[in-house]
Amino acid sequence: MEGGIVRSKRNGNGRGKPKGRPVDPRALAEVQALLEDAHRKTGVEPRRRDLLIEHLHRVQDRYGRLSAAHLAALAREMKLSQTEVYEVATFYHHFDVVKEGGTPPPPLTVRVCDSLSCELAGAGELMTGLARALGTGVRVVAAPCVGRCEQAPVAVVGQNPVAQATVEKVQPLVQAGRTRCSVGKYIHYAEYRRNGGYRLAAECLAGRRDAESLLKAMEDSGLRGLGGAGFPAGRKWRLVRNEKAPRLLAINIDEGEPGTFKDRYYLERDPHRFVEGAIIAAWTAQISEVYIYLRDEYAGCRETLERELAALRADPPCALPPIHLRRGAGAYICGEESAMIESIEGKRGMPRLRPPYVAQVGLFGHPTLEHNMETLHWVRDILEKGAGWFASHGRHGRKGLRSFSVSGRVSKPGVHLAPAGITVKELIAEYCGGMLPGHEFYAYLPGGASGGILPAAMGDIPLDFDTLQPHGCFIGSAAIIILSHQDKATAAARNLMKFFADESCGQCTPCRVGTAKALKLMQARHWDQGLLEELSVAMADASICGLGQAAPNPIRCVVKYFPQEIK
């Protein structure tokens, strides 16, 4: 094999043939036109390997599917093997790959979220009703969490999310073809600048601030990563700054954890605040380029960000680093930092083995500062108001503020900004308007799907990093799902395990096989606790990333705290 060509047997002329199916000239012309259009709009060489997922989106957006002919043509244009393009396209949920001779999907897909909060609100009945009402011309499918748990149940018509969805709400949108999503009123660029926005970033870039004072302020504030891991933000900046240049910043807005929607909440209201935080972080840690990875479910946020980043570049308040917006394609695993980096590079979102850590060898092999969007959202406030301002908040001996995504059986679900260390009982009473009428507090998930399940009797534990681990749980991204006496912890755990089994990337056996086997065992009326614990140990100890490591948490919590439900 030489240069991607397999040499044929002697045939008189010795000429070889390319591997893979022949490239259809019409499909090739269509792909070339899409790539040239992308080049005109972005000015970026469109045949770069890391743009593969972006181009797959362009093809699907234009033609409603990914045909075998278009995949082969894209492989030809990007000088990739057809196998490589096919394996990336089939890895992500939102790409509709149609094999040669296969039947294309209907022109419109309605996704019904079936994650826990939506299931509690009647997603199963909604899906059945929509399938019956919309007929064969529309595809109705179950979807993992779409990041709108406070609006449960949610259906997404094309890219248009419908809050508190019913058949009566969805059907007219389908008939009218209203498939686009947009956000409501938000703080646009000019308004953000009028209110003092980007002044701090401009001072940094003009040399009127020094990096060491910023690093110390971030460290003194106690701000920790708000994507789930909780690593101290200021310390992370310092670690990456000390690595060899060039350094990159990757911003994770792929909040696929069921129960989590805080990033979307802030993006829909004040998008420039995190962008300014990113510019400050980039200057402080001596970052050369910024990559924003936004989940595909947030189509309205993507349009907003594209528009506002264009406004920022057109009238910059200071020298800007290159800022690249990348689009996810429906894969929960890409919330894991190294899987996200693989996806930004145009590959399948498979977590990397560590060490080395992404701060040392990350995006494109360079030291990478990886942050959740909300972490950067707080940078401006902390540096303008002082580290003491952020640290002054808190209850029960804890420090800081937390954006709690609360859903489930409460009267006022939503994002509630509250002191770190508040208990779930205090959160329900003071911020959520109490329980729904007719519902009594029974149990809660303190950290989304991964964070475990605790009974109401343990509702006085401070909600913060490090406070829940002794009980087999963790706060993660502060996604709180409230269950009532009308719910079962076992049913909730099954919903979560189904999610993990569906979202496992398949790279490691403990997670790929363990989640599927555990789900099957959990569907029995009486759980085989011994075998489930064996599976839990294997997943927790041997899985490559946090998905498999945390998947046993719901099982262990049910066995420990809700034994009456499994006997």
Side-chain angles (χ1 to χ4, degrees):
M1 179 173 178
E2 300 174 18
I5 301 296
V6 177
R7 297 300 176 187
S8 63
K9 295 181 180 180
R10 295 181 180 273
N11 57 7
N13 58 23
R15 293 160 67 180
K17 296 180 180 179
K19 292 181 67 177
R21 74 190 305 280
V23 176
D24 178 73
R26 179 176 178 180
L28 182 61
E30 291 169 344
V31 166
Q32 288 172 336
L34 289 174
L35 267 57
E36 291 309 312
D37 182 61
H39 181 57
R40 284 193 299 271
K41 291 178 179 177
T42 66
V44 177
E45 164 50 48
R47 289 159 181 82
R48 282 174 20 189
R49 170 66 179 80
D50 59 293
L51 295 175
L52 174 57
I53 293 173
E54 296 294 301
H55 295 330
L56 289 170
H57 276 301
R58 288 188 174 93
V59 174
Q60 175 145 315
D61 288 347
R62 172 65 180 83
Y63 297 101
R65 62 189 183 278
L66 297 175
S67 68
H70 282 132
L71 291 178
L74 186 58
R76 166 75 67 84
E77 280 299 294
M78 299 190 71
K79 295 182 171 58
L80 298 171
S81 70
Q82 293 183 23
T83 299
E84 191 172 4
V85 173
Y86 182 82
E87 71 177 11
V88 172
T90 54
F91 180 85
Y92 296 93
H93 296 317
H94 290 185
F95 290 139
D96 288 316
V97 178
V98 181
K99 296 180 180 179
E100 189 170 6
T103 303
L108 179 61
T109 296
V110 175
R111 290 182 167 87
V112 178
C113 177
D114 66 354
S115 289
L116 182 55
S117 297
C118 284
E119 182 180 85
L120 295 175
E125 294 83 354
L126 173 63
M127 187 165 174
T128 300
L130 286 174
R132 185 184 304 116
L134 299 181
T136 57
V138 178
R139 180 175 57 169
V140 179
V141 298
C145 187
V146 297
R148 297 179 178 274
C149 313
E150 85 281 24
Q151 302 170 5
V154 177
V156 184
V157 180
Q159 294 184 336
N160 186 8
V162 183
Q164 288 87 43
T166 62
V167 173
E168 291 73 24
K169 279 187 177 181
V170 171
Q171 198 165 20
L173 298 178
V174 170
Q175 293 169 347
R178 293 175 57 184
T179 61
R180 298 294 298 275
C181 174
S182 62
V183 302
K185 180 177 172 54
Y186 66 90
I187 300 172
H188 54 75
Y189 179 61
E191 183 180 358
Y192 186 75
R193 289 286 300 274
R194 285 197 301 269
N195 294 330
Y198 291 110
R199 181 173 55 202
L200 180 59
E203 290 175 359
C204 291
L205 272 293
R208 293 196 293 273
R209 299 265 185 162
D210 69 279
E212 183 56 36
S213 66
L214 267 62
L215 287 167
K216 190 173 188 309
M218 292 296 295
E219 290 168 341
D220 291 346
S221 72
L223 178 67
R224 297 172 65 170
L226 297 171
F231 194 88
R235 183 180 169 197
K236 187 183 284 191
W237 291 15
R238 193 181 293 278
L239 286 171
V240 174
R241 179 184 169 91
N242 290 335
E243 293 290 333
K244 183 180 178 180
R247 309 169 194 87
L248 304 176
L249 169 59
I251 304 171
N252 194 334
I253 322 181
D254 194 69
E255 59 174 359
E257 181 79 13
T260 309
F261 47 90
K262 62 184 178 59
D263 291 353
R264 190 208 84 236
Y265 175 87
Y266 287 122
L267 268 176
E268 290 180 340
R269 289 158 177 80
D270 195 0
H272 285 281
R273 191 167 293 268
F274 97 90
V275 177
E276 181 170 13
I279 294 170
I280 294 168
W283 176 81
T284 307
Q286 298 183 342
I287 300 290
S288 57
E289 294 189 51
V290 177
Y291 286 80
I292 302 171
Y293 188 84
L294 178 65
R295 70 181 310 202
D296 194 35
E297 287 85 349
Y298 293 171
C301 292
R302 185 171 63 252
E303 289 186 5
T304 297
L305 265 181
E306 289 172 344
R307 182 167 53 249
E308 294 305 309
L309 287 173
L312 173 64
R313 295 185 186 107
D315 181 25
C318 56
L320 301 174
I323 301 174
H324 311 278
L325 178 59
R326 293 296 175 85
R327 180 178 173 185
Y332 166 70
I333 193 65
C334 290
E336 196 275 340
E337 60 179 7
S338 66
M340 176 193 68
I341 283 172
E342 289 286 297
S343 191
I344 292 174
E345 292 180 356
K347 305 172 187 174
R348 294 176 296 168
M350 295 270 196
R352 297 175 179 177
L353 292 171
R354 290 170 286 186
Y357 297 95
V358 298
Q360 302 162 315
V361 181
L363 187 57
F364 306 121
H366 301 305
T368 301
L369 176 63
E370 190 273 345
H371 267 315
N372 171 254
M373 190 222 78
E374 195 207 346
T375 310
L376 296 169
H377 175 90
W378 291 111
V379 168
R380 177 186 166 190
D381 278 332
I382 289 171
L383 296 179
E384 286 184 345
K385 299 176 183 178
W389 166 80
F390 190 79
S392 67
H393 296 85
R395 289 189 190 177
H396 307 296
R398 313 304 297 180
K399 293 182 178 181
L401 291 165
R402 293 289 176 272
S403 301
F404 293 98
S405 303
V406 186
S407 60
R409 309 297 195 178
V410 292
S411 294
K412 295 180 181 177
V415 173
H416 299 291
L417 185 62
I422 193 172
T423 70
V424 71
K425 289 181 179 178
E426 293 169 338
L427 189 65
I428 293 170
E430 298 175 31
Y431 290 84
C432 301
M435 298 290 292
L436 281 171
H439 290 263
E440 299 173 10
F441 183 31
Y442 174 65
Y444 68 108
L445 284 70
S450 306
I453 309 173
L454 292 172
M458 299 177 68
D460 293 317
I461 301 169
L463 295 172
D464 198 15
F465 299 112
D466 312 319
T467 59
L468 294 155
Q469 280 85 336
H471 309 286
C473 298
F474 58 84
I475 193 170
S477 58
I480 315 295
I481 304 177
I482 305 298
L483 307 181
S484 80
H485 71 291
Q486 297 185 23
D487 306 312
K488 293 289 186 182
T490 48
R494 278 192 294 271
N495 179 284
L496 304 178
M497 191 57 66
K498 180 181 182 300
F499 173 81
F500 290 134
D502 290 343
E503 293 297 323
S504 173
C505 75
Q507 180 176 192
C508 62
T509 302
C511 177
R512 181 183 68 250
V513 176
T515 52
K517 179 66 174 177
L519 176 60
K520 187 174 182 179
L521 290 170
M522 294 165 73
Q523 290 168 342
R525 182 174 180 182
H526 302 290
W527 289 11
D528 186 336
Q529 297 182 39
L531 185 52
L532 280 168
E533 179 56 21
E534 284 185 38
L535 280 171
S536 296
V537 170
M539 287 189 283
D541 291 350
S543 295
I544 290 173
C545 81
L547 191 157
Q549 293 164 10
N553 288 345
I555 299 172
R556 287 170 161 169
C557 284
V558 169
V559 171
K560 185 174 182 179
Y561 300 118
F562 305 90
Q564 72 279 4
E565 292 192 22
I566 57 174
K567 291 181 179 178

